[in-house]
Amino acid sequence: QVQLQESGPGLVKPSQTLSLTCTVSGDSITTNYYYYSWIRQPPGKGLEWMGAISNSGRTYYSPSLKSRTSISRDTSKNQFTLQLSSVTPEDTAVYYCARAKVVVTTTPIERGQGTQVTVSS
C-alpha cells in the first residue's frame, strides 16, 4: 500500500518561498507510469492542480503557477518537493501531495492527508 505524507512549515510570510516535502512509502517514485503531483485547496474553493514530476524526473506545471513553482525529487530518500516562490495570502491553502497515472488530475489514485499552509506576516 502506497502512502504519501506531506511535511513543511505551516506558516510562511508574504514574499517568501513555501517549501514542502512529500515522503512516499510502499513504492519507489521511479516506478514506471506514475506521476507525483501537488494539489492545493484554498479555503472555500475547489482543488487546484499545481504541477507534477514523472517517474523519470520530467516536470510539468500549471500555466498559472509556472513562473513561481518548482518541483524536484530525491530518489535516495523517495521524496519529492514543492517550492512556491513570492507567496501571498492567496496562496493560503491545504496542500496535498499525490500519485496518479495521468499528469493533470485533482482525483489521484493516492493522496496524502494534506498540510495547512498559511501565508501571513
Side-chain angles (χ1 to χ4, degrees):
Q1 181 181 359
V2 175
Q3 293 186 322
L4 301 97
Q5 178 66 56
E6 306 89 352
S7 60
L11 180 64
V12 182
K13 293 183 178 180
S15 80
Q16 292 188 340
T17 296
L18 179 163
S19 295
L20 296 174
T21 296
C22 182
T23 301
V24 181
S25 60
D27 197 5
S28 169
I29 62 173
T30 61
T31 297
N32 283 343
Y33 311 125
Y34 285 104
Y35 299 89
Y36 293 86
S37 60
W38 290 96
I39 299 166
R40 69 179 182 178
Q41 186 167 28
K45 297 184 179 180
L47 295 166
E48 178 184 20
W49 178 84
M50 302 180 67
I53 187 165
S54 74
N55 63 287
S56 64
R58 182 176 178 179
T59 52
Y60 307 81
Y61 299 108
S62 167
S64 65
L65 296 170
K66 185 175 182 178
S67 64
R68 299 195 291 131
T69 307
S70 177
I71 297 174
S72 59
R73 66 179 186 170
D74 185 336
T75 56
S76 68
K77 296 180 179 179
N78 219 39
Q79 296 175 332
F80 63 105
T81 63
L82 169 73
Q83 291 193 312
L84 182 67
S85 63
S86 304
V87 297
T88 73
E90 290 187 345
D91 294 309
T92 294
V94 177
Y95 287 75
Y96 300 93
C97 61
R99 184 171 90 146
K101 288 202 168 184
V102 296
V103 176
V104 183
T105 181
T106 55
T107 56
I109 299 171
E110 290 104 3
R111 193 180 76 174
Q113 291 186 327
T115 186
Q116 173 70 47
V117 177
T118 300
V119 179
S120 175
S121 56

